[in-house]
Amino acid sequence: MIIILDFGSQYTQLIARRVREQNVYCEILPFNTPLIELRAKDPKGFILSGGPSSVYAKGAPIPDKRIFELGVPVLGICYGMQLIAHLLGGKVDKSAHREYGAAQLFIDRQTDLFYGLDKTQKVWMSHGDRLVKLPPNYIEIAHTANSPTATVYDPLNRIFGVQFHPEVVHTPNGSQILHNFVLRICHELPTWTMHSFIKTEVENIRNTVGKNKVILGLSGGVDSSVTAVLIHKAIGKQLTCVFVNNGVLRAQEAEKVQKVFKKHLGLSLRYVDAEKHFLNKLKGVTSPETKRKIIGHEFINIFDKEARRIRGVKYLAQGTLYPDVIESVSVKGPSATIKSHHNVGGLPKKMNLKLVEPLKFLFKDEVRKLGRELGISEEIINRQPFPGPGLAIRILGEVTLERVELLRLADIIIVEEIKKANLYNQIWQSFAVLLPVKSVGVMGDERTYENTIALRAVNSNDGMTADWVRLPYEILAHISNRIINEVKGVNRVVYDISSKPPATIEWE
């Protein structure tokens, strides 16, 4: 594998994605992972991510210097490059001019890192520091107008440093540079595919679970569906899926899930109608984080009760994905916690179940590929992501049955119209948000004072970053017209045109 050490860059996940696009497995680990753990993983190479710190600043994230003595290639990106210089006898200082945005890279010496590339490349810069002195035995192999040492290289130890970001789309040939590092320099083999993942993970699940039983919370979304089918492939009837109606599901979701998974796929499925229970717990709650925690807590409690009814259950399976882990808990480096996810962070001590999370190192697009490899229908695979806390975090303010039903009606219209326009599979997420705002309107010559629906449509590759979709005005107009005319209690529709960052995809 390739190990990526995280120093807090917003692009660390992109590095992992680019490496995996080469069909090579990689993992992101905290910068301060003990050397003994790194050595035990037997990596073929290291990539040091960028980061917001200055290497010479107090408290800057610094790894064990002995990683450079393990005899495997290293690629430092931005902060990672400056770190190499700082630790190995060079010097880093503030740059006279901060370099941010597109730049022309001029390749001075052709090496394996730049194999197959023209000598002038468009790259993306984002730094305020630069190298002012190279470490011993290092040579400059590329420069830009503002960075005379935009790429450095130690031929003896196969250590590279690039000041630019090859992982972002703004560096058009960045994937080729990472391909060269991973395959040509680290001599990795492109053998990590979803087919190989299934074979390995099925064996892991069987070895982990043994003859014990597993309980899984099935939502009908892509993540839990793929998790269910994968585990079912590994242990069959030892898996029991539990579908909990938490009162904040999409319209007719309970009926659809039972039909698909129980009747068509033959999974062992239990249905728990807890709609009234959840809505009662959410009564009077307006804090987004409190909503998430209540739903997560009650979800676990119900699972605890169901687990006790099934003899031999020792494990709880969850469809946790890599972005969930990264966004929720700062376990992969000095990245900030944005908001908690209901299926991340462990289980209460009273619940005597161990976790099985076969997808926790996969990105969303990889999960879809895995689902196709498992033979799951495109209707399920192409479902847009739906949050664990459901419509509760798409209702700003208190969650009531009346407000849930209103939002469901608006959401149905949005999905119907997006599908009619043949855009559903091209959009990451498209949904309605009920705002705690009423405004004056006119309907049938009468004054109204009713609710506002926000339409949200974004595109993303993995949920870590997203941009709003430029929907045609005709579609926006039709959606707005239908919602206002068909959903009683709504007289205004607005369109959310914010990207992530600085906003998040969900409103809460």
Side-chain angles (χ1 to χ4, degrees):
M1 70 164 74
I2 298 294
I3 288 179
I4 301 166
L5 292 183
D6 179 22
F7 295 90
S9 171
Q10 60 180 318
Y11 302 134
T12 302
Q13 303 309 306
L14 293 178
I15 301 173
R17 290 182 51 76
R18 297 295 175 258
V19 172
R20 292 186 182 188
E21 286 169 3
Q22 316 301 328
N23 291 332
V24 171
Y25 182 68
C26 64
E27 282 187 14
I28 298 171
L29 297 175
F31 71 92
N32 55 358
T33 301
L35 188 71
I36 190 171
E37 292 183 24
L38 298 177
R39 188 184 285 119
K41 289 182 176 291
D42 192 26
K44 290 290 186 68
F46 286 94
I47 298 178
L48 313 182
S49 82
S53 303
S54 293
V55 293
Y56 49 79
K58 185 178 180 180
I62 303 292
D64 191 317
K65 183 180 176 180
R66 292 173 293 174
I67 62 171
F68 302 111
E69 301 171 6
L70 294 179
V72 297
V74 178
L75 172 63
I77 296 175
C78 197
Y79 178 88
M81 168 183 165
Q82 295 164 11
L83 191 64
I84 290 169
H86 180 70
L87 293 176
L88 300 180
K91 186 177 180 181
V92 178
D93 207 344
K94 284 192 178 296
S95 177
H97 301 285
R98 188 174 188 273
E99 198 170 13
Y100 182 84
Q104 289 293 320
L105 180 76
F106 302 99
I107 300 173
D108 303 313
R109 302 191 189 202
Q110 201 74 28
T111 67
D112 282 348
L113 190 67
F114 296 129
Y115 177 81
L117 300 180
D118 293 335
K119 288 200 170 183
T120 301
Q121 294 290 319
K122 182 180 178 183
V123 298
W124 186 261
M125 293 284 194
S126 179
H127 65 100
D129 296 334
R130 69 174 184 175
L131 271 65
V132 294
K133 178 188 174 185
L134 291 178
N137 303 319
Y138 277 74
I139 58 175
E140 301 164 356
I141 57 176
H143 71 278
T144 67
N146 290 323
S147 293
T149 53
T151 307
V152 297
Y153 173 40
D154 175 359
L156 183 63
N157 295 300
R158 296 177 298 161
I159 300 176
F160 294 81
V162 294
Q163 187 60 74
F164 58 92
H165 287 272
E167 69 273 27
V168 301
V169 295
H170 309 295
T171 300
N173 289 320
S175 289
Q176 181 62 42
I177 293 171
L178 290 171
H179 169 93
N180 289 339
F181 176 73
V182 171
L183 275 70
R184 294 185 64 86
I185 297 169
C186 296
H187 303 299
E188 273 282 18
L189 297 176
T191 57
W192 190 72
T193 63
M194 286 303 107
H195 180 76
S196 67
F197 178 86
I198 291 172
K199 184 178 179 180
T200 301
E201 202 56 40
V202 163
E203 186 177 342
N204 288 341
I205 293 168
R206 287 173 180 167
N207 291 337
T208 300
V209 172
K211 295 182 179 180
N212 296 305
K213 293 182 180 179
V214 180
I215 190 170
L216 179 146
L218 187 65
S219 70
V222 179
D223 305 339
S224 67
S225 299
V226 173
T227 302
V229 175
L230 177 61
I231 295 178
H232 185 261
K233 182 180 180 67
I235 60 173
K237 294 298 182 180
Q238 288 174 246
L239 170 69
T240 299
C241 296
V242 177
F243 180 78
V244 178
N245 183 349
N246 61 11
V248 284
L249 301 174
R250 289 171 284 201
Q252 300 179 332
E253 188 73 4
E255 295 80 5
K256 290 178 182 177
V257 168
Q258 293 181 78
K259 181 180 179 180
V260 170
F261 291 91
K262 193 171 185 177
K263 294 183 179 180
H264 292 174
L265 294 177
L267 274 68
S268 175
L269 178 66
R270 295 191 177 197
Y271 173 66
V272 180
D273 187 356
E275 181 176 16
K276 292 181 180 179
H277 175 77
F278 275 88
L279 289 177
N280 184 55
K281 290 290 183 180
L282 291 168
K283 189 175 181 180
V285 177
T286 59
S287 164
E289 191 66 8
T290 303
K291 289 181 190 177
R292 287 177 175 271
K293 289 180 177 178
I294 287 173
I295 291 173
H297 179 75
E298 296 306 317
F299 180 80
I300 294 293
N301 282 342
I302 289 171
F303 258 85
D304 189 29
K305 292 178 183 178
E306 289 301 316
R308 293 175 189 275
R309 294 173 183 170
I310 305 171
R311 190 173 180 180
V313 171
K314 299 292 183 182
Y315 292 90
L316 171 66
Q318 293 187 156
T320 308
L321 302 192
Y322 219 177
D324 295 341
V325 175
I326 300 304
E327 246 188 24
S328 299
V329 188
S330 302
V331 296
K332 297 295 181 183
S335 304
T337 297
I338 307 300
K339 56 191 176 185
S340 65
H341 289 253
H342 80 288
N343 60 344
V344 177
L347 299 172
K349 292 181 180 180
K350 72 169 186 175
M351 194 171 186
N352 298 316
L353 298 180
K354 298 178 182 178
L355 277 177
V356 176
E357 298 173 297
L359 311 184
K360 68 179 179 180
F361 291 123
L362 296 185
F363 293 101
K364 194 75 172 191
D365 60 323
E366 293 171 333
V367 173
R368 294 187 197 280
K369 290 177 184 176
L370 175 60
R372 292 187 181 97
E373 190 73 29
L374 288 167
I376 300 174
S377 70
E378 288 296 318
E379 182 181 358
I380 295 175
I381 294 302
N382 290 324
R383 291 195 83 178
Q384 293 180 356
F386 188 69
L391 299 179
I393 59 170
R394 293 178 180 175
I395 296 174
L396 276 62
E398 184 181 7
V399 178
T400 64
L401 179 59
E402 180 185 15
R403 302 189 82 202
V404 170
E405 290 177 344
L406 186 152
L407 182 59
R408 280 179 181 150
L409 293 174
D411 201 62
I412 288 172
I413 291 171
I414 290 173
V415 173
E416 285 179 353
E417 293 304 320
I418 293 294
K419 285 184 174 179
K420 282 181 185 177
N422 294 317
L423 293 174
Y424 186 82
N425 292 340
Q426 300 175 37
I427 296 174
W428 176 263
Q429 274 178 280
S430 50
F431 55 89
V433 180
L434 179 60
L435 305 185
V437 174
K438 288 191 175 183
S439 63
V440 174
V442 178
M443 289 184 179
D445 295 327
E446 292 185 0
R447 178 185 183 277
T448 62
Y449 189 63
E450 294 180 335
N451 296 286
T452 301
I453 287 288
L455 165 60
R456 180 74 158 145
V458 298
N459 271 331
S460 176
N461 288 322
D462 51 26
M464 297 300 293
T465 61
D467 193 16
W468 63 280
V469 177
R470 276 66 173 171
L471 286 174
Y473 289 153
E474 293 78 10
I475 296 175
L476 290 172
H478 197 50
I479 290 174
S480 175
N481 186 60
R482 278 197 63 189
I483 290 175
I484 291 173
N485 280 285
E486 297 176 30
V487 182
K488 187 176 180 180
V490 176
N491 68 354
R492 192 177 300 273
V493 175
V494 297
Y495 191 40
D496 182 349
I497 59 170
S498 51
S499 299
K500 175 185 179 179
T504 53
I505 294 177
E506 300 290 346
W507 276 48
E508 291 192 341

